[in-house]
Amino acid sequence: MAQMNQVYASTRRRRVKAVSFRVGTLIALALVVGPAIWLVLGVVVRAVPHWQWNVLTTLSQGTSGGLENAVLGTLVLMAGVAVLAGSIGVLTGIHLAENGSSSRGGAFARGAIDILAGFPSIVLGYVGYIALCVGLHWGFSLLAALVILSLMVVPYIAKSTESALRQVPTSYREGAEALGMPSGYALRRVVLRSALPGIVTGLLIALSVAGGETAPLLYTAGATNNLPTFTLLHQPIAYLTYYVWTDYNQPTDVAHYVSYDAALILVVLVLAMLVTARLIVARTQRHAETSR
Amino acid sequence: MASWIPVAGLAFVLIVLAVKAWPAVVVNGFGFIKGSQWLPGNTYGSVVHTHGVAHPSGSSYGAWPLIAGTLETSLIAVVIALPISLGTAFALTERMPGWLSRPLGFLVEILAGLPSVVIGLWGVLEVGPFLAHHVYPLVADHVPNVGPFRYFKGPVGYGEGLLTSGLILGLMIVPIIASTTRDLFLQVPALPKEGAEALGLTDAEVARRVTIPWVRSGIIGATVLGLGRALGETMAVAMISGSVLGKVSPTIYGTMTTIAATIVSQLDSAATDGTGFAIATLAEAGLILAAIALAVNLCARYIVSRSGRLAAPVGRG
């Protein structure tokens, strides 16, 4: 025993360490969960007492009024990102999963995606302002905002698509090939179909990121109190995060309420997207359980 | 050929940034990194030329306070976030029933998805005042007035500043590190862990000697990705930092700003500079930020590539 004690700490000391480790992990968890609840409740408590449903049906007047234009604008931006970034991202993801990094294009695309995924969004916004809004004379516009937002979330969509495709069991591809399907047909009917939940989940999370962005939009989407017009160029478009950012430190209470209301709508929007993504994952995992 | 679009997009961004920043690089020189003044000059006065580049008379730019602020807040964020994330990941994976760990894990995911402008709003309205009234005074009164601890002395302000920004950034990167670490812990095979426990190791010893070494490179990669997010974070810092240009904060409570927050708050007024020099200077600042973020990210990708992990977008704001 004496020899053991030289190598290992005494039992008592180890027990104290084990308990403090356990307590430490629980404190760490509390330090994450506590602020997360405080954050969501903080937004709810500030917004709900003054909440009026006509916020959703009235136009903004800047520091007062409703948020109809901003809600619709954010939805238009998200839809645009879903189309633009969704198609580019999913196609890139398919390319990466099917061809891998073996081709030169694949290696380049992977490098670019890795770098773009960590690129500061405000720098993307700055480039959008300088090159698209001013340089190409697009003005504050839907298209400029969409291009910059898409540049930001394409890496994530491509990565999640790639990993969803890679999780499709090899036996599916082999089975399709054994049945004599051409590889394009097999990709469409067999591989993509079983990877679809993963792709959609990635897309939803990317959209919730796009809907919550501020920095890349401030100098590309501009600001307006009008409804979105679907004109691609020369028309600024409203979005929710703008009103959170501009109205929280205005002098009037009414402006504060606009800010809090916008924050509440954003939280609800993000929650809805994440819950949907979660449900899709849970559903497919239940189906996949048997095959594991 | 959709996969060439991200390549073209990235090339476009870098070229625009470099071309736009070039006049500022020529005039500001290396002094830009060391200097700490941020003077737009007399934008309605006479235009002077330096090395053939037009700029308002009296303009003088130095980015050191911004660079220091960016690095300081990110450092605080990582120092705070890493132990909390590891602890959270352990708490969620080891000996916690599924009915409890699933909703708590989802709460961490929600934290990752909340818009940074909403987190900034909460930080400036609730967290900052709370810390400034109840926590910072205690710290400032009780730390000894010697050596590096002097950094924690001095007026604590109103809750807008370096420490609050760092803490909020830490909370924002916890989900990135914690969710990656949790997934990594779940991938550690049960046999080595059970073997270690059968030999009589406590939970803490299993964690330190088996679980963490097993996934170390993944944890390092996730931490550096979180650092990348903290470096590029814009809106939350713009709201919480106090947005003070031109000086490095003498204490940990002081107001300051970062590169990203400066670009977002100064671009409006920079556009009033008729010579375009203020805009070019912001491009140079953006180039420095991009270079820092890029270096950090490539490190992370290199480390993570060896453990093959998928990562969420980090350069958000």
Side-chain angles (χ1 to χ4, degrees), chain B residues 224-250:
Chain B
V224 183
L225 276 178
L227 176 62
R229 166 98 199 254
L231 289 166
E233 173 54 43
T234 311
M235 302 315 291
V237 178
M239 293 163 95
I240 302 167
S241 64
S243 294
V244 168
L245 280 161
K247 69 171 178 59
V248 178
S249 169

Side-chain angles (χ1 to χ4, degrees), chain A residues 14 32 38 46 91-92 95 109 114-115 117-119 121-122 126 130 156 159 212-213 215 218-219 245 248 270-271 278, chain B residues 2-3 84 88 106 109-110 113 115 121 126 200 205 234-235 264 267-268 279 283 294 297 310 313-317:
Chain A
R14 290 176 62 215
V32 179
W38 181 13
R46 278 173 189 272
L91 286 175
T92 307
H95 181 85
D114 283 353
I115 294 170
F119 217 76
S121 61
I122 180 62
Y126 174 91
I130 292 298
Y156 183 70
K159 284 248 163 189
E213 275 303 324
L218 281 173
Y219 295 102
W245 160 244
Y248 84 93
V270 166
L271 272 179
R278 240 317 155 83
Chain B
S3 58
I84 291 184
T88 303
F106 186 54
E109 272 177 44
I110 291 173
L121 184 74
E126 306 223 347
E205 288 160 350
T234 311
M235 302 315 291
V264 84
L267 189 51
D268 249 339
I279 293 263
L294 219 74
N297 225 261
L310 169 79
V314 292
R316 290 161 49 183

Side-chain angles (χ1 to χ4, degrees), chain A residues 91-152:
Chain A
L91 286 175
T92 307
I94 294 174
H95 181 85
L96 288 180
E98 298 300 310
N99 303 350
S101 320
S102 52
S103 69
R104 206 165 50 165
F108 265 118
R110 197 180 299 276
I113 281 171
D114 283 353
I115 294 170
L116 270 181
F119 217 76
S121 61
I122 180 62
V123 178
L124 292 181
Y126 174 91
V127 168
Y129 171 71
I130 292 298
L132 305 179
C133 301
V134 177
L136 294 177
H137 305 289
W138 287 3
F140 289 136
S141 58
L142 176 60
L143 189 61
L146 283 183
V147 168
I148 293 306
L149 272 185
S150 296
L151 211 50
M152 228 193 89

Side-chain angles (χ1 to χ4, degrees), chain B residues 31-105:
Chain B
F32 188 60
I33 295 175
K34 292 182 299 184
S36 56
Q37 283 181 316
W38 196 273
L39 304 171
N42 185 1
T43 46
Y44 298 105
S46 56
V47 173
V48 291
H49 291 261
T50 312
H51 303 302
V53 177
H55 60 93
S57 66
S59 73
S60 163
Y61 292 102
W64 175 242
L66 316 182
I67 299 171
T70 305
L71 297 177
E72 283 169 335
T73 47
S74 303
L75 184 70
I76 295 174
V78 167
V79 167
I80 297 286
L82 183 59
I84 291 184
S85 304
L86 285 181
T88 303
F90 270 117
L92 287 177
T93 52
E94 311 284 333
R95 301 183 196 280
M96 181 174 275
W99 61 265
L100 192 57
S101 73
R102 264 193 291 270
L104 289 179

